[in-house]
Amino acid sequence: MCFKNLPIEFDANGKASLREGVSDPYSFKAAKPKSYVRKQDGPGAQLAAPPKLRDWSIDPVTRVAGALAVHTTLDLENRKAVDAYSRAMLFRGYEVILQGRDPRDAIDISSRACGVCGGVHATVSSLTIEQAFGICPPPLGLACRNLGEIGEMFYDHPIHLGLLAGPDYSTSLVSVTNPELVRKAEKTPARGYEVHGFRTIKDIMDAMNPLTGKIYLESIEYTRVGRVMCMLMYGKYPHPSTLAPGGLQTTISTQSFNEFYTQLGKIFDYCKVMIATWDDMMDFFLESNPAYEQVGARDINLAQLGIWDDTDAYDAKYANCNMWGNRRWAKPGMIIDGKLVTTNLTDINMGFEEFVDHAFYDDWTRSGSPRFATDPIGNPISPYHPWNKETIPRPTATNFKEKYTWDTAPRWDRKTVETGTYGRMWTTALAAQTPENPFLEATGDGLRMVIPRHNLPETEVFWKVPRTINALERNRARAYAMGFTAVIGMNCLLKAFEYWRRGETKVSTPFKVPKDERVSVGFWEAGRGWLAHHMHMDKGKIMNYQITTPSTLNAAPRDPFGGLGPYEEAVIDTPILESVSDDEVKGIDILRAIRSFDPCMPCTTHMDTGKGVIVREVNSCGCTLE
Amino acid sequence: MRDLDFGTQFIRKVEVLDWPGDVLVEDLSYAAHRVLHLFQEVRPGKVVLVGAMPRDVDPAGTIRRYALDLTPPPDEEVQARFGDAAGGTIDLDHTLAVLRYMKALPADTVVIEVEPADRSFGLGFTDPVEAAMEPVLAMVREEVGMSTPVVASDE
């Protein structure tokens, strides 16, 4: 029984239904938004010195993809953040664009939702469509799709570690906020020297310096390797040209796999170096000041959909999604209060809702009965579920007690959940169900990976599930995610070779666009975690298409129950650990907290000021907005 | 994109023409670090950049041709632009800042830009920008040392 808040129960056969006797099962009474700022109450309050509160709006948050703003209140007396509001600043509108179109268009159009990870949108869109069409790619098509997505992740991970989050730990930045740490780093030997070649922690910090540091510059180089890997399978990147429902249009040859293997080989050593580097850096911060554990900390509530299909299991059918979902290399799952409560995609889908009480949208549930009371196999779903959702933008003035963002508030079982690369490692580790293979073992408390030899020798690493989730652990896990991705890539490549040797060389399946009513969903993951496309089609056209992305979850605002979004929770109570005076505080720990999620905000965005004026046109990443 | 799409449409028009073997015609409207990778691989001896650029000092349709100043912007600006580009933003200023900082442009880098009239969305160009197409092509040919008229490859 995984639900605590929604009135859903399961019979002895595992069949879900709404609890009997609950007249309006999804209704709720909106709670008054909480104020988290400390109040001076009680006797003597009037005489007490006013708290040293400082409002601080970070707009935009730099070194993130897209337009994110965070409004915080810092308590400088107690040196911590006491309030936070996360704001997605731009409207996307892909759901509106896709209405009425041929479903096949969704692959190309939704890909444009993101300038970083367009491939994952195209991929999940093809999953969504093939489920609706009742087709499935041939095994080699699935293997190649897995490989394309391995490549795409090697574009994402280096960007986060080298260009976006890395500079927060560089000499150039830390010397301004905490010069004592730099002095200490100079005298602290780096444990992973034999692997990464940096003698001291200060050397690592130097390597993270923007524009000049070795790690910064190498990360740019490695994005190219990832891109080449993805293009070998998907034709081009970031917007694939060969993905189709039921497989790929790519002309695959032995050379495709050989070239892929060559590129993957380059990655092996990079993974070993990044893991050793980030282990050293994160340990140094935690050992220097254990309070860093509180930076970006929040409850361990994670939502993952899984990625990289078992080519022998996946059949694209919703009715079988628990079977094939659980066979994925990276497992789907919901972790609540640190415990894995389900790995079934139907449970995850059933408990998922989106709320717009604090977002610039109208509540669609007020305009009539929901389209669907159940999913295609009879499990109950909420009126707030994406299959029932209607995107009705309603821009208004910003008011933190009312509406303040273009992001919705997705919740699972009405709880705030975050998602991330680390999340899928977490679910995979706890599920402990890796198939027999030479490279990866999920142990129940971590992941054991054997990264093959390249210039560096074969290396075994172990990512241990952290006690807490915070900025440092998110970043550390992102480094381990490179190894996780590489060893899954090896497994997928060996599988592809196997099909190739057997002469099973088909990579696509013929299809016809059905004209009757269909409902489907693509469950997948972006580099940053959760990615779902929900579709309703009829008469060969899209009736409704809803996209939820990692940052839809992570950048979410408050919900109607008074809960905060993940960024907001992570910022509140983050300590200000800078060793400079109040006037010189840069807020680096707040920024570390936010950037550790790897925010990925809006997409091709044309913001209308109300006068039809295009303020700025960008092609960018679109992982948050409607 | 109307007039602001001049560079992309120019490429579509001229890429089908016969060019000397050592000339690469490329649409560079992708993120700065991706363009950087291309330039690091190709290492061009000369670059001719073509696009629409609103400067609001000349009449619409004005063509400006000049040698690009290769002095990079300040480090902080480059870093910010790198971060933005890594996030997927496609912006010519990002590209120029990154290419200049990384010394990926040759000394012989020429910009040919057209002043747009209409910066809104829509199909086709305004008349003054449409009229700039042929003169810009002639300038590009001159820059790459072509002395005879270029013709479509299928003619």
Side-chain angles (χ1 to χ4, degrees):
Chain A
M1 175 63 195
C2 58
F3 296 107
K4 295 273 194 281
N5 300 309
L6 290 174
I8 298 173
E9 56 189 13
F10 296 85
D11 66 16
N13 298 318
K15 169 87 178 153
S17 62
L18 290 171
R19 196 176 301 138
E20 283 185 24
V22 180
S23 60
D24 195 358
Y26 292 100
S27 67
F28 57 86
K29 189 176 175 187
K32 192 177 171 187
K34 290 175 190 169
S35 174
Y36 288 83
V37 177
R38 178 167 55 88
K39 293 282 192 299
Q40 297 265 330
D41 294 328
Q46 299 299 317
L47 299 175
K52 291 163 69 177
L53 298 179
R54 179 191 294 172
D55 281 335
W56 185 41
S57 280
I58 317 166
D59 183 8
V61 178
T62 56
R63 273 192 276 118
V64 304
L68 169 70
V70 174
H71 178 86
T72 67
T73 304
L74 305 181
D75 179 345
L76 293 171
E77 187 180 326
N78 294 296
R79 286 257 165 175
K80 64 177 184 176
V82 291
D83 205 357
Y85 294 88
S86 166
R87 302 182 62 205
M89 302 299 285
L90 298 170
F91 173 61
R92 189 170 68 190
Y94 280 88
E95 289 82 353
V96 179
I97 294 168
L98 283 165
Q99 274 180 8
R101 287 185 175 270
D102 185 311
R104 291 169 294 185
D105 290 350
I107 293 176
D108 289 333
I109 292 175
S110 68
S111 171
R112 268 67 186 177
C114 187
V116 178
C117 47
V120 292
H121 281 284
T123 302
V124 72
S125 188
S126 60
L127 268 75
T128 309
I129 298 165
E130 67 202 21
Q131 187 176 95
F133 288 11
I135 56 171
C136 180
L140 187 64
L142 289 170
C144 291
R145 197 154 73 185
N146 282 345
L147 293 177
E149 292 296 78
I150 293 289
E152 184 162 24
M153 297 305 153
F154 283 119
Y155 182 77
D156 265 20
H157 299 330
I159 282 181
H160 175 74
L161 294 170
L163 265 69
L164 303 178
D168 286 343
Y169 305 90
S170 65
T171 304
S172 61
L173 208 146
V174 179
S175 60
V176 173
T177 60
N178 298 82
E180 77 288 356
L181 283 181
V182 177
R183 289 192 294 275
K184 184 178 177 187
E186 278 178 332
K187 298 172 191 160
T188 307
R191 294 170 188 138
Y193 165 69
E194 294 295 332
V195 178
H196 53 53
F198 300 112
R199 288 195 178 277
T200 67
I201 299 298
K202 167 73 162 42
D203 291 341
I204 298 177
M205 287 177 154
D206 287 346
M208 289 187 175
N209 276 339
L211 299 180
T212 56
K214 184 169 185 279
I215 292 171
Y216 185 96
L217 293 171
E218 275 186 354
S219 71
I220 299 169
E221 283 304 306
Y222 277 98
T223 62
R224 182 180 193 172
V225 177
R227 226 163 54 228
V228 169
M229 291 165 75
C230 191
M231 285 190 289
L232 285 167
M233 298 296 140
Y234 281 4
K236 70 185 185 73
Y237 185 84
H239 305 304
S241 54
T242 61
L243 269 168
L248 304 166
Q249 305 289 313
T250 318
T251 303
I252 296 290
S253 66
T254 307
Q255 190 181 352
S256 310
F257 298 124
N258 287 343
E259 283 187 25
F260 191 94
Y261 181 54
T262 301
Q263 301 301 325
L264 187 57
K266 294 178 190 170
I267 294 279
F268 290 149
D269 285 356
Y270 185 52
C271 297
K272 296 163 199 164
V273 167
M274 293 309 282
I275 289 169
T277 303
W278 281 85
D279 257 345
D280 279 353
M281 180 65 96
M282 300 298 95
D283 287 346
F284 170 77
F285 270 79
L286 285 168
E287 288 162 12
S288 299
N289 185 351
Y292 277 109
E293 198 168 63
Q294 294 305 310
V295 173
R298 61 178 297 278
D299 292 343
I300 304 172
N301 295 329
L302 295 160
Q304 305 297 145
L305 292 173
I307 181 173
W308 299 305
D309 281 305
D310 180 338
T311 49
D312 296 324
Y314 177 76
D315 67 1
K317 294 186 173 112
Y318 184 83
N320 297 330
C321 68
N322 292 339
M323 179 276 294
W324 52 255
N326 275 296
R327 298 270 294 267
R328 283 182 162 172
W329 282 103
K331 306 298 179 196
M334 299 302 308
I335 296 176
I336 301 296
D337 297 327
K339 295 192 169 48
L340 184 65
V341 297
T342 184
T343 59
N344 287 336
L345 284 166
T346 51
D347 294 345
I348 298 169
N349 193 40
M350 227 187 307
F352 191 67
E353 298 172 290
E354 280 185 87
F355 300 96
V356 293
D357 301 61
H358 295 286
F360 299 129
Y361 303 96
D362 282 348
D363 182 348
W364 65 91
T365 65
R366 291 175 190 161
S367 59
S369 302
R371 292 186 204 97
F372 305 102
T374 68
D375 70 6
I377 55 173
N379 294 306
I381 58 169
S382 161
Y384 299 95
H385 188 277
W387 274 325
N388 287 318
K389 185 183 168 191
E390 191 179 342
T391 302
I392 314 170
R394 185 71 61 196
T396 60
T398 297
N399 181 331
F400 288 130
K401 290 183 178 170
E402 294 176 9
K403 291 178 181 282
Y404 60 90
T405 178
W406 281 105
D407 193 6
T408 62
R411 296 294 188 263
W412 187 81
D413 193 25
R414 307 213 157 163
K415 286 188 79 91
T416 301
V417 287
E418 75 172 274
T419 188
T421 309
Y422 42 91
R424 62 175 168 260
M425 293 164 63
W426 214 303
T427 51
T428 306
L430 296 190
Q433 290 177 351
T434 35
E436 190 69 30
N437 77 96
F439 308 111
L440 176 67
E441 182 194 4
T443 59
D445 64 346
L447 297 169
R448 181 167 289 112
M449 308 167 220
V450 178
I451 305 174
R453 177 176 62 87
H454 192 59
N455 291 323
L456 290 170
E458 179 182 282
T459 304
E460 182 175 312
V461 295
F462 185 72
W463 176 74
K464 186 168 175 50
V465 171
R467 285 186 299 115
T468 56
I469 190 164
N470 54 45
L472 297 183
E473 295 304 342
R474 289 187 190 98
N475 288 330
R476 185 203 304 268
R478 193 65 180 261
Y480 277 86
M482 298 203 53
F484 181 60
T485 308
V487 296
I488 291 172
M490 264 312 286
N491 279 309
C492 293
L493 184 62
L494 292 176
K495 196 73 185 176
F497 276 134
E498 192 182 314
Y499 291 125
W500 194 252
R501 274 196 300 269
R502 292 206 306 243
E504 294 181 37
T505 56
K506 273 183 62 184
V507 292
S508 63
T509 301
F511 62 84
K512 287 184 178 173
V513 179
K515 300 297 177 191
D516 57 338
E517 187 177 30
R518 306 280 174 108
V519 171
S520 66
V521 55
F523 298 120
W524 200 244
E525 300 220 349
R528 299 144 162 110
W530 173 293
L531 183 62
H533 287 197
H534 286 81
M535 182 173 78
H536 169 212
M537 63 172 286
D538 196 11
K539 299 182 178 64
K541 303 288 183 195
I542 293 172
M543 306 298 290
N544 188 28
Y545 201 98
Q546 294 293 330
I547 300 171
T548 48
T549 67
S551 301
T552 316
L553 272 67
N554 291 341
R558 284 152 168 79
D559 60 35
F561 322 110
L564 284 73
Y567 293 170
E568 295 171 338
E569 287 184 342
V571 167
I572 291 176
D573 284 340
T574 282
I576 300 166
L577 299 174
E578 297 175 46
S579 55
V580 295
S581 67
D582 291 351
D583 291 340
E584 294 173 301
V585 164
K586 304 288 184 201
I588 184 60
D589 297 304
I590 307 295
L591 289 165
R592 283 176 179 141
I594 297 165
R595 289 198 186 110
S596 67
F597 287 87
D598 194 10
C600 179
M601 305 301 289
C603 32
T604 306
T605 302
H606 311 113
M607 192 168 81
D608 192 325
T609 61
K611 297 175 184 172
V613 177
I614 295 163
V615 174
R616 186 186 181 207
E617 183 197 330
V618 295
N619 286 324
S620 180
C621 188
C623 291
T624 304
L625 310 179
E626 284 306 296
Chain B
M1 276 185 50
R2 294 282 274 168
D3 292 348
L4 289 176
D5 205 25
F6 184 86
T8 308
Q9 296 308 320
F10 181 80
I11 292 293
R12 290 179 64 177
K13 179 183 167 71
V14 306
E15 67 185 355
V16 296
L17 305 178
D18 281 333
W19 295 92
D22 59 350
V23 171
L24 173 66
V25 179
E26 177 80 9
D27 178 358
L28 294 180
S29 51
Y30 42 91
H33 56 302
R34 295 168 180 163
V35 179
L36 171 67
H37 287 148
L38 175 75
F39 275 57
Q40 287 174 332
E41 182 178 314
V42 174
R43 298 193 177 281
K46 178 187 182 84
V47 170
V48 182
L49 298 165
V50 176
M53 180 58 72
R55 302 220 182 262
D56 297 321
V57 289
D58 296 311
T62 300
I63 303 169
R64 294 176 287 265
R65 174 161 60 165
Y66 55 90
L68 185 69
D69 177 1
L70 297 181
T71 310
D75 286 5
E76 280 190 9
E77 181 185 331
V78 177
Q79 191 199 335
R81 291 186 182 280
F82 239 130
D84 213 20
T89 300
I90 299 167
D91 187 317
L92 179 62
D93 289 339
H94 290 3
T95 301
L96 291 180
V98 166
L99 293 183
R100 283 185 286 185
Y101 183 86
M102 302 300 282
K103 297 185 170 42
L105 286 168
D108 191 1
T109 297
V110 174
V111 177
I112 301 174
E113 62 183 35
V114 178
E115 182 70 25
D118 185 348
R119 302 175 197 182
S120 65
F121 282 84
L123 297 176
F125 300 131
T126 57
D127 289 343
V129 170
E130 180 73 48
M133 189 67 88
E134 287 303 324
V136 168
L137 176 56
M139 288 180 193
V140 172
R141 287 174 48 219
E142 192 176 295
E143 289 290 346
V144 301
M146 292 180 72
S147 54
T148 53
V150 286
V151 294
S153 55
D154 57 350
E155 287 177 8

